Amino acid sequence: MSAILYIAVLVIYFAVMIYVGLRSRKSALSVQGFVLGGRTAGPWLSAFAYGTSYFSAVIFIGYAGQFGWNFGLAATWIGIGNAVIGSLLAWAVLGKRTRVMTQQLDSATMPDYFGKRFGDNKLKIFASIIVFIFLIPYTASLYKGLGSLFAMAFDIPYFVCIIVMAVVTAVYVLVGGYMATVWNDFIQGLVMLFGIVVIIIAVVANFGGLEQAIADLSQISSGGEQLGEFTSFFGPDLYGLIMVVILTSLGTWGLPQMVQKFYAIKSEGSIKKGMIISTVFALVVAGGCYFLGGFGRLAYSPEGNVMYDEIIPNMLSDALPPVLIALVLVLVVSASMSTLSSLVMSSSSTLTLDLIKGGIKKDLSHKGQMRLIRIFVAAFIIVSAVIAIIYDEFGLSFIAQMMGVSWGALAGAFLAPYLFSLYWKRTTKTACYTCFVFGVAISIASFVISLCAGNLPAAFTDSFIYKYLFSSSIYVGTWTMIVGFIIVPLVSLFTKKPDKGVLDKLFAPFCALDEAMEKASVGFLGSRSEIIVNGVDRSVSDSSENEDEAAFEHANDISEEK
């Protein structure tokens, strides 16, 4: 009887997703419409699209189980870091600059941005190849964890679950494009918000209440004589915790599918609202997931090796009635489908617009571009599903390791060059090339080392470098990102300066805005302030929520007049 309930709920959910795709088909008739929704997404849609792309089933099932097991309740810091650094600061630092820059350059993807920002088509192609290579295993990892969850609910083969999810996602993305994904992301985000709150309440109640659960957890040791490590403020492994927080929070700043959400947002004024909405979403969803995972040791007692993907399903099967299990199924499928749609949109648009039209066939027609984007959407979904099925069927370890390397490779290659290029005129294309090569090379090296870990000499595996760098893909990805912040400014200072005239025009709106904001801060008359930009008076109401947007638009007008 329970299985019928689960199937009925999933069928209704899938039908809603397809309906949204069909309703959004008119917005997907052009390349800009299909890829960016015509840059018309409002703050709520953009914020939920950002949040649901951020948190997938990997977070809810895999990471929550793994890091909750390793760090205890201190794993909640990961969710807080995701909210503050990965959402709040990301929107504040990247949102406005990204939208204005990409509109001026008329770029629709991150590789396209790099190519036009530095006037180098080869740089665009290089970046698109990196995206193409490393987003495939990342996309395949979204299915990870679904198998154990569906096995808990009903006896359906894992590959059937993957195929159904892949087909539904393909249908609404192919038909409705970007707007279909953001509207579905909004619905999926509501499910995730409601679901995680209800699940936490039910699980904690099953443990005898919050106070009793914490007391029981405090009696578990991490292996030594000391108790209470899993309820302590920073947990048993502070270094590991910091590395996870940095990679999963700061790393999103360099991921193409995340940054692309700022390209499509409707206006600068929407960014303020989106920042708040996205932060609250991340705090509830990510904070809730990791907090829940912190109690994993109370519900899971492995006989042999710890299977992290089984921790959360075991916890839920003991605590939830069938109705809430159905909610969990929809929650996890929602998290996976939202991220999957975002990744395949980013991958297919990059491959079509940057690699093929940008390098191989520059005279590709608009109709040809639309056809190729849709073909690649389908191809990416199929390939990622096949990889996930092969991994589950044969247990090939290198696939799981490659999935772990993907995030670090993308963020390590793109984060520092992208951030510096938004704010620092002196950033050079040579610095970008250097950071791209460094990020990819280190990630591949760590992948090879992880494959050969059992055959490495003890002198190396016991060394400081291996322990704190190469022993985990998380450590590698984090340090690769950090070193990028040294490489980019250092190489830029010792390589040829970019063309000053081009950069002055590109950065003109930001220079004019800074001047406007500085002069606006001098003297307020009633509820209005006087903004002077290059000798032109412009009064803006203090009560208006679009002050910054007005200043940006005025600055753009002045830049164009010049």
Side-chain angles (χ1 to χ4, degrees), residues 79-102:
I80 295 173
N82 293 169
V84 175
I85 302 172
S87 297
L88 180 67
L89 289 180
W91 280 74
V93 175
L94 300 179
K96 193 169 293 185
R97 289 251 170 182
T98 295
R99 183 181 182 277
V100 174
M101 279 277 207
T102 54

mmCIF file with all atom_site columns, all heavy atoms in Angstrom, residues 79-102:
data_model
loop_
_atom_site.group_PDB
_atom_site.id
_atom_site.type_symbol
_atom_site.label_atom_id
_atom_site.label_alt_id
_atom_site.label_comp_id
_atom_site.label_asym_id
_atom_site.label_entity_id
_atom_site.label_seq_id
_atom_site.pdbx_PDB_ins_code
_atom_site.Cartn_x
_atom_site.Cartn_y
_atom_site.Cartn_z
_atom_site.occupancy
_atom_site.B_iso_or_equiv
_atom_site.pdbx_formal_charge
_atom_site.auth_seq_id
_atom_site.auth_comp_id
_atom_site.auth_asym_id
_atom_site.auth_atom_id
_atom_site.pdbx_PDB_model_num
ATOM 1   N N   . GLY A 1 79  ? 26.526 24.210 6.657   1.00 0.00 ? 79  GLY A N   1
ATOM 2   C CA  . GLY A 1 79  ? 25.314 24.851 6.167   1.00 0.00 ? 79  GLY A CA  1
ATOM 3   C C   . GLY A 1 79  ? 25.323 26.347 6.403   1.00 0.00 ? 79  GLY A C   1
ATOM 4   O O   . GLY A 1 79  ? 24.882 27.125 5.547   1.00 0.00 ? 79  GLY A O   1
ATOM 5   N N   . ILE A 1 80  ? 25.831 26.774 7.555   1.00 0.00 ? 80  ILE A N   1
ATOM 6   C CA  . ILE A 1 80  ? 25.928 28.209 7.844   1.00 0.00 ? 80  ILE A CA  1
ATOM 7   C C   . ILE A 1 80  ? 26.900 28.871 6.872   1.00 0.00 ? 80  ILE A C   1
ATOM 8   O O   . ILE A 1 80  ? 26.643 29.964 6.357   1.00 0.00 ? 80  ILE A O   1
ATOM 9   C CB  . ILE A 1 80  ? 26.374 28.439 9.302   1.00 0.00 ? 80  ILE A CB  1
ATOM 10  C CG1 . ILE A 1 80  ? 25.297 27.918 10.263  1.00 0.00 ? 80  ILE A CG1 1
ATOM 11  C CG2 . ILE A 1 80  ? 26.653 29.915 9.558   1.00 0.00 ? 80  ILE A CG2 1
ATOM 12  C CD1 . ILE A 1 80  ? 25.701 27.928 11.721  1.00 0.00 ? 80  ILE A CD1 1
ATOM 13  N N   . GLY A 1 81  ? 28.022 28.215 6.602   1.00 0.00 ? 81  GLY A N   1
ATOM 14  C CA  . GLY A 1 81  ? 28.987 28.733 5.620   1.00 0.00 ? 81  GLY A CA  1
ATOM 15  C C   . GLY A 1 81  ? 28.379 28.833 4.234   1.00 0.00 ? 81  GLY A C   1
ATOM 16  O O   . GLY A 1 81  ? 28.595 29.816 3.513   1.00 0.00 ? 81  GLY A O   1
ATOM 17  N N   . ASN A 1 82  ? 27.587 27.819 3.852   1.00 0.00 ? 82  ASN A N   1
ATOM 18  C CA  . ASN A 1 82  ? 26.909 27.848 2.554   1.00 0.00 ? 82  ASN A CA  1
ATOM 19  C C   . ASN A 1 82  ? 25.960 29.033 2.447   1.00 0.00 ? 82  ASN A C   1
ATOM 20  O O   . ASN A 1 82  ? 25.826 29.653 1.382   1.00 0.00 ? 82  ASN A O   1
ATOM 21  C CB  . ASN A 1 82  ? 26.123 26.553 2.329   1.00 0.00 ? 82  ASN A CB  1
ATOM 22  C CG  . ASN A 1 82  ? 26.996 25.331 2.167   1.00 0.00 ? 82  ASN A CG  1
ATOM 23  O OD1 . ASN A 1 82  ? 26.513 24.215 2.179   1.00 0.00 ? 82  ASN A OD1 1
ATOM 24  N ND2 . ASN A 1 82  ? 28.300 25.523 2.035   1.00 0.00 ? 82  ASN A ND2 1
ATOM 25  N N   . ALA A 1 83  ? 25.292 29.370 3.564   1.00 0.00 ? 83  ALA A N   1
ATOM 26  C CA  . ALA A 1 83  ? 24.344 30.483 3.565   1.00 0.00 ? 83  ALA A CA  1
ATOM 27  C C   . ALA A 1 83  ? 25.054 31.830 3.530   1.00 0.00 ? 83  ALA A C   1
ATOM 28  O O   . ALA A 1 83  ? 24.707 32.706 2.736   1.00 0.00 ? 83  ALA A O   1
ATOM 29  C CB  . ALA A 1 83  ? 23.432 30.396 4.790   1.00 0.00 ? 83  ALA A CB  1
ATOM 30  N N   . VAL A 1 84  ? 26.070 31.995 4.378   1.00 0.00 ? 84  VAL A N   1
ATOM 31  C CA  . VAL A 1 84  ? 26.734 33.295 4.515   1.00 0.00 ? 84  VAL A CA  1
ATOM 32  C C   . VAL A 1 84  ? 27.707 33.547 3.357   1.00 0.00 ? 84  VAL A C   1
ATOM 33  O O   . VAL A 1 84  ? 27.674 34.604 2.715   1.00 0.00 ? 84  VAL A O   1
ATOM 34  C CB  . VAL A 1 84  ? 27.474 33.394 5.865   1.00 0.00 ? 84  VAL A CB  1
ATOM 35  C CG1 . VAL A 1 84  ? 28.259 34.698 5.959   1.00 0.00 ? 84  VAL A CG1 1
ATOM 36  C CG2 . VAL A 1 84  ? 26.483 33.294 7.015   1.00 0.00 ? 84  VAL A CG2 1
ATOM 37  N N   . ILE A 1 85  ? 28.597 32.573 3.097   1.00 0.00 ? 85  ILE A N   1
ATOM 38  C CA  . ILE A 1 85  ? 29.619 32.758 2.060   1.00 0.00 ? 85  ILE A CA  1
ATOM 39  C C   . ILE A 1 85  ? 29.088 32.370 0.685   1.00 0.00 ? 85  ILE A C   1
ATOM 40  O O   . ILE A 1 85  ? 29.253 33.112 -0.293  1.00 0.00 ? 85  ILE A O   1
ATOM 41  C CB  . ILE A 1 85  ? 30.877 31.926 2.386   1.00 0.00 ? 85  ILE A CB  1
ATOM 42  C CG1 . ILE A 1 85  ? 31.447 32.312 3.756   1.00 0.00 ? 85  ILE A CG1 1
ATOM 43  C CG2 . ILE A 1 85  ? 31.946 32.125 1.306   1.00 0.00 ? 85  ILE A CG2 1
ATOM 44  C CD1 . ILE A 1 85  ? 32.573 31.415 4.230   1.00 0.00 ? 85  ILE A CD1 1
ATOM 45  N N   . GLY A 1 86  ? 28.457 31.212 0.609   1.00 0.00 ? 86  GLY A N   1
ATOM 46  C CA  . GLY A 1 86  ? 28.011 30.700 -0.682  1.00 0.00 ? 86  GLY A CA  1
ATOM 47  C C   . GLY A 1 86  ? 26.794 31.387 -1.247  1.00 0.00 ? 86  GLY A C   1
ATOM 48  O O   . GLY A 1 86  ? 26.546 31.326 -2.456  1.00 0.00 ? 86  GLY A O   1
ATOM 49  N N   . SER A 1 87  ? 26.007 32.060 -0.395  1.00 0.00 ? 87  SER A N   1
ATOM 50  C CA  . SER A 1 87  ? 24.800 32.740 -0.880  1.00 0.00 ? 87  SER A CA  1
ATOM 51  C C   . SER A 1 87  ? 24.855 34.247 -0.647  1.00 0.00 ? 87  SER A C   1
ATOM 52  O O   . SER A 1 87  ? 24.871 35.027 -1.597  1.00 0.00 ? 87  SER A O   1
ATOM 53  C CB  . SER A 1 87  ? 23.555 32.143 -0.203  1.00 0.00 ? 87  SER A CB  1
ATOM 54  O OG  . SER A 1 87  ? 23.394 30.790 -0.548  1.00 0.00 ? 87  SER A OG  1
ATOM 55  N N   . LEU A 1 88  ? 24.898 34.677 0.615   1.00 0.00 ? 88  LEU A N   1
ATOM 56  C CA  . LEU A 1 88  ? 24.860 36.108 0.932   1.00 0.00 ? 88  LEU A CA  1
ATOM 57  C C   . LEU A 1 88  ? 26.000 36.877 0.272   1.00 0.00 ? 88  LEU A C   1
ATOM 58  O O   . LEU A 1 88  ? 25.786 37.837 -0.474  1.00 0.00 ? 88  LEU A O   1
ATOM 59  C CB  . LEU A 1 88  ? 24.905 36.302 2.446   1.00 0.00 ? 88  LEU A CB  1
ATOM 60  C CG  . LEU A 1 88  ? 24.863 37.747 2.953   1.00 0.00 ? 88  LEU A CG  1
ATOM 61  C CD1 . LEU A 1 88  ? 23.525 38.382 2.649   1.00 0.00 ? 88  LEU A CD1 1
ATOM 62  C CD2 . LEU A 1 88  ? 25.150 37.806 4.446   1.00 0.00 ? 88  LEU A CD2 1
ATOM 63  N N   . LEU A 1 89  ? 27.237 36.449 0.528   1.00 0.00 ? 89  LEU A N   1
ATOM 64  C CA  . LEU A 1 89  ? 28.396 37.154 -0.032  1.00 0.00 ? 89  LEU A CA  1
ATOM 65  C C   . LEU A 1 89  ? 28.500 36.951 -1.541  1.00 0.00 ? 89  LEU A C   1
ATOM 66  O O   . LEU A 1 89  ? 28.940 37.860 -2.257  1.00 0.00 ? 89  LEU A O   1
ATOM 67  C CB  . LEU A 1 89  ? 29.682 36.693 0.652   1.00 0.00 ? 89  LEU A CB  1
ATOM 68  C CG  . LEU A 1 89  ? 29.878 37.152 2.100   1.00 0.00 ? 89  LEU A CG  1
ATOM 69  C CD1 . LEU A 1 89  ? 31.193 36.628 2.658   1.00 0.00 ? 89  LEU A CD1 1
ATOM 70  C CD2 . LEU A 1 89  ? 29.839 38.676 2.191   1.00 0.00 ? 89  LEU A CD2 1
ATOM 71  N N   . ALA A 1 90  ? 28.111 35.791 -2.020  1.00 0.00 ? 90  ALA A N   1
ATOM 72  C CA  . ALA A 1 90  ? 28.160 35.541 -3.466  1.00 0.00 ? 90  ALA A CA  1
ATOM 73  C C   . ALA A 1 90  ? 27.264 36.528 -4.205  1.00 0.00 ? 90  ALA A C   1
ATOM 74  O O   . ALA A 1 90  ? 27.668 37.120 -5.219  1.00 0.00 ? 90  ALA A O   1
ATOM 75  C CB  . ALA A 1 90  ? 27.742 34.107 -3.769  1.00 0.00 ? 90  ALA A CB  1
ATOM 76  N N   . TRP A 1 91  ? 26.055 36.726 -3.715  1.00 0.00 ? 91  TRP A N   1
ATOM 77  C CA  . TRP A 1 91  ? 25.141 37.679 -4.347  1.00 0.00 ? 91  TRP A CA  1
ATOM 78  C C   . TRP A 1 91  ? 25.651 39.106 -4.202  1.00 0.00 ? 91  TRP A C   1
ATOM 79  O O   . TRP A 1 91  ? 25.557 39.904 -5.132  1.00 0.00 ? 91  TRP A O   1
ATOM 80  C CB  . TRP A 1 91  ? 23.744 37.552 -3.732  1.00 0.00 ? 91  TRP A CB  1
ATOM 81  C CG  . TRP A 1 91  ? 22.957 36.409 -4.284  1.00 0.00 ? 91  TRP A CG  1
ATOM 82  C CD1 . TRP A 1 91  ? 23.140 35.088 -4.018  1.00 0.00 ? 91  TRP A CD1 1
ATOM 83  C CD2 . TRP A 1 91  ? 21.858 36.477 -5.197  1.00 0.00 ? 91  TRP A CD2 1
ATOM 84  N NE1 . TRP A 1 91  ? 22.229 34.320 -4.707  1.00 0.00 ? 91  TRP A NE1 1
ATOM 85  C CE2 . TRP A 1 91  ? 21.423 35.151 -5.433  1.00 0.00 ? 91  TRP A CE2 1
ATOM 86  C CE3 . TRP A 1 91  ? 21.197 37.524 -5.822  1.00 0.00 ? 91  TRP A CE3 1
ATOM 87  C CZ2 . TRP A 1 91  ? 20.367 34.853 -6.284  1.00 0.00 ? 91  TRP A CZ2 1
ATOM 88  C CZ3 . TRP A 1 91  ? 20.135 37.235 -6.667  1.00 0.00 ? 91  TRP A CZ3 1
ATOM 89  C CH2 . TRP A 1 91  ? 19.724 35.909 -6.897  1.00 0.00 ? 91  TRP A CH2 1
ATOM 90  N N   . ALA A 1 92  ? 26.182 39.427 -3.019  1.00 0.00 ? 92  ALA A N   1
ATOM 91  C CA  . ALA A 1 92  ? 26.645 40.792 -2.771  1.00 0.00 ? 92  ALA A CA  1
ATOM 92  C C   . ALA A 1 92  ? 27.863 41.146 -3.617  1.00 0.00 ? 92  ALA A C   1
ATOM 93  O O   . ALA A 1 92  ? 27.972 42.244 -4.153  1.00 0.00 ? 92  ALA A O   1
ATOM 94  C CB  . ALA A 1 92  ? 26.969 40.968 -1.287  1.00 0.00 ? 92  ALA A CB  1
ATOM 95  N N   . VAL A 1 93  ? 28.796 40.207 -3.747  1.00 0.00 ? 93  VAL A N   1
ATOM 96  C CA  . VAL A 1 93  ? 30.062 40.474 -4.435  1.00 0.00 ? 93  VAL A CA  1
ATOM 97  C C   . VAL A 1 93  ? 29.948 40.261 -5.945  1.00 0.00 ? 93  VAL A C   1
ATOM 98  O O   . VAL A 1 93  ? 30.478 41.048 -6.737  1.00 0.00 ? 93  VAL A O   1
ATOM 99  C CB  . VAL A 1 93  ? 31.189 39.591 -3.851  1.00 0.00 ? 93  VAL A CB  1
ATOM 100 C CG1 . VAL A 1 93  ? 32.478 39.773 -4.638  1.00 0.00 ? 93  VAL A CG1 1
ATOM 101 C CG2 . VAL A 1 93  ? 31.415 39.920 -2.375  1.00 0.00 ? 93  VAL A CG2 1
ATOM 102 N N   . LEU A 1 94  ? 29.247 39.216 -6.350  1.00 0.00 ? 94  LEU A N   1
ATOM 103 C CA  . LEU A 1 94  ? 29.215 38.844 -7.770  1.00 0.00 ? 94  LEU A CA  1
ATOM 104 C C   . LEU A 1 94  ? 27.975 39.320 -8.518  1.00 0.00 ? 94  LEU A C   1
ATOM 105 O O   . LEU A 1 94  ? 28.044 39.584 -9.719  1.00 0.00 ? 94  LEU A O   1
ATOM 106 C CB  . LEU A 1 94  ? 29.304 37.316 -7.916  1.00 0.00 ? 94  LEU A CB  1
ATOM 107 C CG  . LEU A 1 94  ? 30.532 36.616 -7.353  1.00 0.00 ? 94  LEU A CG  1
ATOM 108 C CD1 . LEU A 1 94  ? 30.406 35.112 -7.581  1.00 0.00 ? 94  LEU A CD1 1
ATOM 109 C CD2 . LEU A 1 94  ? 31.807 37.141 -7.982  1.00 0.00 ? 94  LEU A CD2 1
ATOM 110 N N   . GLY A 1 95  ? 26.840 39.408 -7.825  1.00 0.00 ? 95  GLY A N   1
ATOM 111 C CA  . GLY A 1 95  ? 25.560 39.608 -8.500  1.00 0.00 ? 95  GLY A CA  1
ATOM 112 C C   . GLY A 1 95  ? 25.510 40.801 -9.428  1.00 0.00 ? 95  GLY A C   1
ATOM 113 O O   . GLY A 1 95  ? 25.296 40.666 -10.636 1.00 0.00 ? 95  GLY A O   1
ATOM 114 N N   . LYS A 1 96  ? 25.697 42.005 -8.879  1.00 0.00 ? 96  LYS A N   1
ATOM 115 C CA  . LYS A 1 96  ? 25.540 43.220 -9.672  1.00 0.00 ? 96  LYS A CA  1
ATOM 116 C C   . LYS A 1 96  ? 26.619 43.343 -10.737 1.00 0.00 ? 96  LYS A C   1
ATOM 117 O O   . LYS A 1 96  ? 26.351 43.677 -11.890 1.00 0.00 ? 96  LYS A O   1
ATOM 118 C CB  . LYS A 1 96  ? 25.555 44.431 -8.737  1.00 0.00 ? 96  LYS A CB  1
ATOM 119 C CG  . LYS A 1 96  ? 25.087 45.715 -9.378  1.00 0.00 ? 96  LYS A CG  1
ATOM 120 C CD  . LYS A 1 96  ? 24.879 46.794 -8.321  1.00 0.00 ? 96  LYS A CD  1
ATOM 121 C CE  . LYS A 1 96  ? 23.728 46.475 -7.403  1.00 0.00 ? 96  LYS A CE  1
ATOM 122 N NZ  . LYS A 1 96  ? 23.426 47.557 -6.446  1.00 0.00 ? 96  LYS A NZ  1
ATOM 123 N N   . ARG A 1 97  ? 27.855 43.070 -10.339 1.00 0.00 ? 97  ARG A N   1
ATOM 124 C CA  . ARG A 1 97  ? 28.970 43.165 -11.297 1.00 0.00 ? 97  ARG A CA  1
ATOM 125 C C   . ARG A 1 97  ? 28.785 42.185 -12.453 1.00 0.00 ? 97  ARG A C   1
ATOM 126 O O   . ARG A 1 97  ? 29.020 42.516 -13.613 1.00 0.00 ? 97  ARG A O   1
ATOM 127 C CB  . ARG A 1 97  ? 30.288 42.883 -10.590 1.00 0.00 ? 97  ARG A CB  1
ATOM 128 C CG  . ARG A 1 97  ? 30.730 43.978 -9.644  1.00 0.00 ? 97  ARG A CG  1
ATOM 129 C CD  . ARG A 1 97  ? 31.913 44.722 -10.189 1.00 0.00 ? 97  ARG A CD  1
ATOM 130 N NE  . ARG A 1 97  ? 32.205 45.918 -9.419  1.00 0.00 ? 97  ARG A NE  1
ATOM 131 C CZ  . ARG A 1 97  ? 33.164 46.769 -9.705  1.00 0.00 ? 97  ARG A CZ  1
ATOM 132 N NH1 . ARG A 1 97  ? 33.917 46.559 -10.767 1.00 0.00 ? 97  ARG A NH1 1
ATOM 133 N NH2 . ARG A 1 97  ? 33.376 47.838 -8.978  1.00 0.00 ? 97  ARG A NH2 1
ATOM 134 N N   . THR A 1 98  ? 28.393 40.972 -12.126 1.00 0.00 ? 98  THR A N   1
ATOM 135 C CA  . THR A 1 98  ? 28.208 39.954 -13.164 1.00 0.00 ? 98  THR A CA  1
ATOM 136 C C   . THR A 1 98  ? 27.123 40.364 -14.149 1.00 0.00 ? 98  THR A C   1
ATOM 137 O O   . THR A 1 98  ? 27.313 40.269 -15.370 1.00 0.00 ? 98  THR A O   1
ATOM 138 C CB  . THR A 1 98  ? 27.845 38.603 -12.531 1.00 0.00 ? 98  THR A CB  1
ATOM 139 O OG1 . THR A 1 98  ? 28.947 38.136 -11.751 1.00 0.00 ? 98  THR A OG1 1
ATOM 140 C CG2 . THR A 1 98  ? 27.511 37.567 -13.596 1.00 0.00 ? 98  THR A CG2 1
ATOM 141 N N   . ARG A 1 99  ? 25.993 40.835 -13.643 1.00 0.00 ? 99  ARG A N   1
ATOM 142 C CA  . ARG A 1 99  ? 24.894 41.203 -14.527 1.00 0.00 ? 99  ARG A CA  1
ATOM 143 C C   . ARG A 1 99  ? 25.295 42.341 -15.464 1.00 0.00 ? 99  ARG A C   1
ATOM 144 O O   . ARG A 1 99  ? 25.057 42.284 -16.674 1.00 0.00 ? 99  ARG A O   1
ATOM 145 C CB  . ARG A 1 99  ? 23.668 41.608 -13.712 1.00 0.00 ? 99  ARG A CB  1
ATOM 146 C CG  . ARG A 1 99  ? 22.465 41.922 -14.600 1.00 0.00 ? 99  ARG A CG  1
ATOM 147 C CD  . ARG A 1 99  ? 21.258 42.350 -13.796 1.00 0.00 ? 99  ARG A CD  1
ATOM 148 N NE  . ARG A 1 99  ? 20.127 42.591 -14.687 1.00 0.00 ? 99  ARG A NE  1
ATOM 149 C CZ  . ARG A 1 99  ? 19.907 43.710 -15.350 1.00 0.00 ? 99  ARG A CZ  1
ATOM 150 N NH1 . ARG A 1 99  ? 20.756 44.722 -15.230 1.00 0.00 ? 99  ARG A NH1 1
ATOM 151 N NH2 . ARG A 1 99  ? 18.865 43.846 -16.145 1.00 0.00 ? 99  ARG A NH2 1
ATOM 152 N N   . VAL A 1 100 ? 25.908 43.395 -14.914 1.00 0.00 ? 100 VAL A N   1
ATOM 153 C CA  . VAL A 1 100 ? 26.279 44.548 -15.734 1.00 0.00 ? 100 VAL A CA  1
ATOM 154 C C   . VAL A 1 100 ? 27.368 44.191 -16.734 1.00 0.00 ? 100 VAL A C   1
ATOM 155 O O   . VAL A 1 100 ? 27.303 44.535 -17.921 1.00 0.00 ? 100 VAL A O   1
ATOM 156 C CB  . VAL A 1 100 ? 26.735 45.721 -14.841 1.00 0.00 ? 100 VAL A CB  1
ATOM 157 C CG1 . VAL A 1 100 ? 27.262 46.874 -15.686 1.00 0.00 ? 100 VAL A CG1 1
ATOM 158 C CG2 . VAL A 1 100 ? 25.581 46.208 -13.971 1.00 0.00 ? 100 VAL A CG2 1
ATOM 159 N N   . MET A 1 101 ? 28.394 43.490 -16.283 1.00 0.00 ? 101 MET A N   1
ATOM 160 C CA  . MET A 1 101 ? 29.510 43.105 -17.160 1.00 0.00 ? 101 MET A CA  1
ATOM 161 C C   . MET A 1 101 ? 29.036 42.223 -18.311 1.00 0.00 ? 101 MET A C   1
ATOM 162 O O   . MET A 1 101 ? 29.390 42.447 -19.468 1.00 0.00 ? 101 MET A O   1
ATOM 163 C CB  . MET A 1 101 ? 30.575 42.365 -16.354 1.00 0.00 ? 101 MET A CB  1
ATOM 164 C CG  . MET A 1 101 ? 31.510 43.274 -15.584 1.00 0.00 ? 101 MET A CG  1
ATOM 165 S SD  . MET A 1 101 ? 32.835 43.882 -16.650 1.00 0.00 ? 101 MET A SD  1
ATOM 166 C CE  . MET A 1 101 ? 34.109 44.148 -15.434 1.00 0.00 ? 101 MET A CE  1
ATOM 167 N N   . THR A 1 102 ? 28.243 41.211 -17.990 1.00 0.00 ? 102 THR A N   1
ATOM 168 C CA  . THR A 1 102 ? 27.818 40.275 -19.039 1.00 0.00 ? 102 THR A CA  1
ATOM 169 C C   . THR A 1 102 ? 26.860 40.930 -20.022 1.00 0.00 ? 102 THR A C   1
ATOM 170 O O   . THR A 1 102 ? 26.829 40.556 -21.202 1.00 0.00 ? 102 THR A O   1
ATOM 171 C CB  . THR A 1 102 ? 27.162 39.026 -18.429 1.00 0.00 ? 102 THR A CB  1
ATOM 172 O OG1 . THR A 1 102 ? 26.084 39.424 -17.555 1.00 0.00 ? 102 THR A OG1 1
ATOM 173 C CG2 . THR A 1 102 ? 28.174 38.224 -17.629 1.00 0.00 ? 102 THR A CG2 1
#
